[in-house]
Amino acid sequence: MLESILDHLKEPKNRFVWLRESPGTGKTAISMSVASTVESQGTLAASFFWDKN
């Protein structure tokens, strides 16, 4: 999954990734892995998390 998302983001036209699934399925872990990887590459990125509480 991580490799697929990172490959997707390499294309300039692909600026966003939307992760949507039930609670507890690993969305946050995937997001944190993507953020960590792009940070180590020196890539500018941002992430947003919504909490419905």
Side-chain angles (χ1 to χ4, degrees), residues 1-33:
M1 180 61 67
L2 177 61
E3 186 177 338
S4 175
I5 292 171
L6 293 171
D7 286 344
H8 174 79
L9 292 172
K10 287 180 185 175
E11 295 291 325
K13 67 178 181 171
N14 298 332
R15 298 174 60 193
F16 299 96
V17 173
W18 186 279
L19 297 178
R20 190 184 118 196
E21 190 56 59
S22 300
T25 57
K27 296 176 304 294
T28 300
I30 292 168
S31 299
M32 296 300 289
S33 293

Side-chain angles (χ1 to χ4, degrees), residues 32-44:
M32 296 300 289
S33 293
V34 170
S36 177
T37 301
V38 297
E39 179 183 31
S40 70
Q41 295 172 347
T43 302
L44 181 63

